[in-house]
Amino acid sequence: MKIESVLQSVSVFGELLNGIPHGIAILGTDLCILTMNRYLEAMTGYSTDEARGVYGDFILRTNLGIKNQICAEVLKSGESVSIDGNIINRRRKKIPVHFTISRLHDGEGQPSGVLFVLEDSSVVKVEELSHREQSIRSKILGHSSQMENVFELMTVLARTDASVLITGETGTGKDLMAEALHKSSQRARQPFIKVNCGALPEALLESELFGHVKGAFTGAVNETAGMFRLAHLGTIFLTEIGDLSLPLQVKLLSVLDDKEFFPVGGSKKVKVDVRIIAATHRSLREEVQQGRFREDLFYRLNVLCLHSPPLRERDGDIRLLLDHFLRQFNAKLGREVTDFSPEAIDFLNQYRYPGNVRELRNIAEYSANICQGRVVEVKDLPAYLFRPAVNPEMKSSSAMSHPLVQREEAVAARVTVPAGGTTPGGWVDVEKEMILDALRSSGGNRSKASEILGWGRTTLWRKLKKYKMA
Amino acid sequence: MKIMITTRGDFVSPRFDSSSEVLIASYYDQQLMEEPRSLLLSNVSAEILCDLALKENVAIVVCGGIEEEHYQFLTWKKIVVIDSVIGPHEAVLELGMKNRLEPGIILPGVTSKEVAS
């Protein structure tokens, strides 16, 4: 009687069911199929006529457990269930589905069957993937083929839970990549903890990473959790992993292997579920060869490797980044600098950027501050760019080979180089040159030279000694 | 000839990848050569079942819903796969031996009343 009454109502609402853009099946109290809408027919590959009367599980082929347990429970308890799963259809396709299962009642309020709604979530999954890709791209700029490869690899890495080693020169965006990987992973809602392994002495770093118990050492008045425990279920990002001391490398290796560790001074093991992303600007392979980095840890970390290319190898990205940062600083500083002149762009395109994107950003900031007009000219660029590069590797093909350098050299000869704006060692060369110039003008008289330089005699003496010029 | 049927209770299991039982039978000239063996698997996965089919050197696999990937793998290994079969495994075996089993066939005895009985 109940089945018939349901069937009657189904025939009345048949067209209505067909209008709903989700798969719908109505099962009787015996969990046999009474009817399905057209959408579900398309999903399963069975027509209603074929499926009618057949036990629902044989037609729907869900992964919700054997013998339609969930349906039976819903029928018994009356509590609706909403759950993710999948079905395998007649065309051998596995379709991700969001199931909503509810109990149906007759006019007297008695259970008369089960309503099975199957929402095809394959479109949502595809959207999730493209969203994941977009979120990876949203913070990291780059259209070069090198960066396209990086983005492609990052999309794949975000889907896994394995350790990732990010390598690349300083300023290439390793931190951003690690954060983007975390935010696009399954652990996105969990914490992302960044630890700079090079910033703390060994003893402090161990306590920072693994925590300590009360009284573990002098001054340990309270128990601390440590970064690994704070990152539980999330991601820990160990930057400058190449600076990690050997004893800590051993401990880290055991954490990677067993996912558990002893806090400093503790006797109870702590278990954590953490994904590790490590980054370094050093070549870990070389560090291993020189005995400064454990080989086993290197191979353990190097499960998946992501290399961030240096800016000089990223074809066409320099202009894109310059424009982006100029716009950013314009807005921040309230300036109206709109563009770089063709000469400035030409020069900046040929510069080798040892500090990579970080250096380019600083150049854009400097230019936005210094430029008096609307277009950044060569004279508005930091003077250190026109100095000889200190790195011998850079010397041969660096900015010095550029014709503009010779033109600008005279301007830049005695220019005060902005603090922090030099390449490593650049200021030293400038200072040496200034001392030599002063000594030349004073005919070797140090007192006069110190006057020319505006320094005290002792300062000059100290500098001469420091630069081994005495 | 050897035939392997993925089962759940007395029926062909609805999904290949979630079958924990299989029935393996050897037959010749439409006659069983011995009592069919029923195996209970400790782990449930499509890969394990594919391995089992290869190890047992079966010629035919009969199952319910199977993913294209596994279907292609078995076919590539020269195993005939008759999928989307709904029905009691005894009847299925009978038809299989007579070479009258077709993919997508729905045999009698698959309503809940029949399942319960």
Side-chain angles (χ1 to χ4, degrees):
Chain A
M1 282 299 285
K2 283 170 193 167
I3 295 172
E4 281 164 8
S5 66
V6 172
L7 265 175
Q8 202 176 5
S9 60
V10 163
S11 65
V12 173
F13 294 111
E15 281 310 306
L16 181 69
L17 290 180
N18 286 336
I20 298 171
H22 298 309
I24 294 176
I26 294 177
L27 276 60
T29 47
D30 52 2
L31 302 181
C32 276
I33 292 196
L34 296 175
T35 191
M36 307 195 307
N37 70 349
R38 279 189 208 125
Y39 198 93
L40 190 59
E41 285 181 348
M43 271 172 90
T44 58
Y46 285 102
S47 69
T48 307
D49 288 341
E50 277 178 302
R52 189 170 288 134
V54 177
Y55 198 66
D57 207 15
F58 290 133
I59 298 294
L60 299 174
R61 298 168 185 167
T62 68
N63 64 335
L64 298 181
I66 52 169
K67 293 192 177 176
N68 257 342
Q69 276 168 342
I70 293 180
C71 277
E73 277 167 28
V74 169
L75 195 61
K76 196 177 164 191
S77 67
E79 280 178 29
S80 297
V81 168
S82 188
I83 192 169
D84 280 319
N86 58 60
I87 63 166
I88 293 181
N89 69 11
R90 211 170 170 176
R91 292 178 291 275
R92 306 183 192 109
K93 194 178 170 200
K94 189 191 256 186
I95 306 171
V97 166
H98 184 78
F99 298 100
T100 307
I101 309 163
S102 330
R103 188 166 76 179
L104 292 171
H105 301 93
D106 60 14
E108 292 161 11
Q110 292 299 310
S112 57
V114 174
L115 176 72
F116 224 107
V117 180
L118 296 90
E119 199 177 331
D120 184 347
S121 48
S122 47
V123 183
V124 182
K125 298 268 179 205
V126 170
E127 269 177 14
E128 259 176 29
L129 281 178
S130 69
H131 172 73
R132 192 173 282 175
E133 206 168 326
Q134 272 176 5
S135 72
I136 280 174
R137 283 165 171 264
S138 60
K139 271 197 162 181
I140 307 167
L141 286 179
H143 288 314
S144 58
S145 58
Q146 292 86 346
M147 286 311 285
E148 287 293 332
N149 291 341
V150 168
F151 292 139
E152 213 168 287
L153 187 58
M154 280 176 76
T155 315
V156 177
L157 297 186
R159 277 180 239 157
T160 73
D161 204 36
S163 306
V164 177
L165 178 65
I166 305 174
T167 57
E169 289 178 12
T170 179
T172 48
K174 298 187 287 293
D175 289 26
L176 277 181
M177 285 178 180
E179 208 174 332
L181 277 180
H182 167 73
K183 284 190 175 162
S184 323
S185 73
Q186 299 290 335
R187 296 173 181 262
R189 287 181 187 176
Q190 304 297 336
F192 175 75
I193 305 284
K194 180 183 163 183
V195 185
N196 189 334
C197 301
L200 289 169
E202 187 189 330
L204 276 177
L205 185 61
E206 184 176 5
S207 155
E208 184 85 357
L209 284 174
F210 306 108
H212 62 252
V213 295
K214 192 177 172 183
F217 46 81
T218 315
V221 285
N222 286 316
E223 189 178 321
T224 56
M227 296 302 185
F228 265 97
R229 264 188 280 182
L230 290 180
H232 183 54
L233 299 176
T235 307
I236 191 162
F237 174 46
L238 303 172
T239 177
E240 303 307 346
I241 190 90
D243 296 344
L244 204 65
S245 68
L246 283 165
L248 272 182
Q249 288 176 27
V250 180
K251 197 159 180 178
L252 181 63
L253 183 66
S254 88
V255 176
L256 278 164
D257 283 339
D258 309 329
K259 301 273 180 200
E260 53 187 19
F261 57 87
F262 287 104
V264 177
S267 55
K268 204 176 159 190
K269 262 192 177 176
V270 175
K271 211 167 173 59
V272 284
D273 173 15
V274 172
R275 182 191 195 184
I276 296 179
I277 300 179
T280 181
H281 68 279
R282 296 171 193 270
S283 162
L284 281 189
R285 213 172 276 279
E286 271 178 30
E287 295 288 305
V288 168
Q289 277 166 5
Q290 292 180 10
R292 287 198 293 262
F293 202 82
R294 286 182 66 96
E295 195 175 4
D296 41 11
L297 180 60
F298 169 65
Y299 288 117
R300 192 70 182 75
L301 285 172
N302 201 22
V303 179
L304 301 167
C305 188
L306 183 67
H307 179 70
S308 180
L311 186 56
R312 61 182 170 278
E313 288 174 12
R314 290 166 55 176
D315 311 323
D317 278 354
I318 292 172
R319 181 66 201 258
L320 174 81
L321 289 164
L322 280 170
D323 287 345
H324 168 76
F325 287 125
L326 191 66
R327 250 199 325 270
Q328 200 179 70
F329 288 115
N330 252 338
K332 196 174 164 186
L333 303 167
R335 305 295 304 268
E336 285 183 351
V337 185
T338 52
D339 205 356
F340 288 86
S341 71
E343 290 82 14
I345 283 289
D346 195 24
F347 178 80
L348 289 169
N349 270 332
Q350 295 195 37
Y351 182 64
R352 289 185 63 80
Y353 299 96
N356 291 296
V357 182
R358 189 183 289 129
E359 188 182 3
L360 181 139
R361 184 179 182 275
N362 289 346
I363 292 171
E365 185 173 8
Y366 179 93
S367 309
N369 273 298
I370 295 296
C371 179
Q372 296 303 311
R374 293 172 71 88
V375 176
V376 176
E377 300 289 346
V378 173
K379 66 178 169 51
D380 300 321
L381 298 176
Y384 80 88
L385 296 178
F386 308 103
R387 297 262 165 211
V390 175
N391 188 345
E393 192 184 274
M394 307 279 180
K395 258 181 189 172
S396 57
S397 54
S398 72
M400 281 309 290
S401 60
H402 198 278
L404 275 169
V405 173
Q406 277 110 42
R407 210 178 75 199
E408 293 297 320
E409 212 167 20
V411 185
R414 290 292 302 270
V415 100
T416 312
V417 180
T422 54
T423 51
W427 178 248
V428 173
D429 281 4
V430 174
E431 227 174 18
K432 277 184 188 172
E433 207 178 310
M434 283 163 69
I435 293 168
L436 283 173
D437 279 352
L439 284 169
R440 253 184 241 123
S441 327
S442 66
N445 187 320
R446 291 186 188 182
S447 302
K448 280 184 185 168
S450 60
E451 271 176 37
I452 294 168
L453 288 163
W455 297 344
R457 260 184 65 85
T458 33
T459 307
L460 178 62
W461 173 79
R462 201 160 32 81
K463 299 264 182 192
L464 286 169
K465 206 174 165 195
K466 184 181 166 190
Y467 299 137
K468 295 182 180 153
M469 294 164 80
Chain B
M1 289 268 273
K2 248 185 183 180
I3 185 166
M4 182 174 109
I5 305 170
T6 57
T7 60
R8 195 177 76 190
D10 295 333
F11 296 85
V12 176
S13 66
R15 276 173 73 137
F16 180 74
D17 61 357
S18 55
S19 307
S20 57
E21 300 164 42
V22 290
L23 189 83
I24 298 173
S26 300
Y27 67 96
Y28 181 73
D29 198 17
Q30 300 188 10
Q31 294 293 319
L32 280 172
M33 293 175 73
E34 56 186 13
E35 188 69 18
R37 280 184 297 139
S38 193
L39 300 179
L40 200 63
L41 307 171
S42 54
N43 290 313
V44 178
S45 94
E47 283 73 21
I48 291 175
L49 286 166
C50 287
D51 279 351
L52 184 67
L54 292 179
K55 266 187 209 159
E56 290 284 339
N57 204 19
V58 300
I60 303 169
V61 167
V62 180
C63 59
I66 183 172
E67 271 188 88
E68 184 69 26
E69 187 188 353
H70 302 117
Y71 176 86
Q72 291 298 346
F73 173 77
L74 292 170
T75 311
W76 174 56
K77 291 287 177 184
K78 308 249 184 308
I79 296 172
V80 175
V81 182
I82 304 171
D83 66 331
S84 288
V85 172
I86 300 174
H89 62 67
E90 267 183 35
V92 167
L93 179 60
E94 198 73 25
L95 286 176
M97 288 194 299
K98 289 177 184 165
N99 209 15
R100 280 169 47 199
L101 202 58
E102 283 175 8
I105 193 168
I106 301 176
L107 298 174
V110 284
T111 62
S112 65
K113 280 175 193 166
E114 289 160 327
V115 171
S117 63

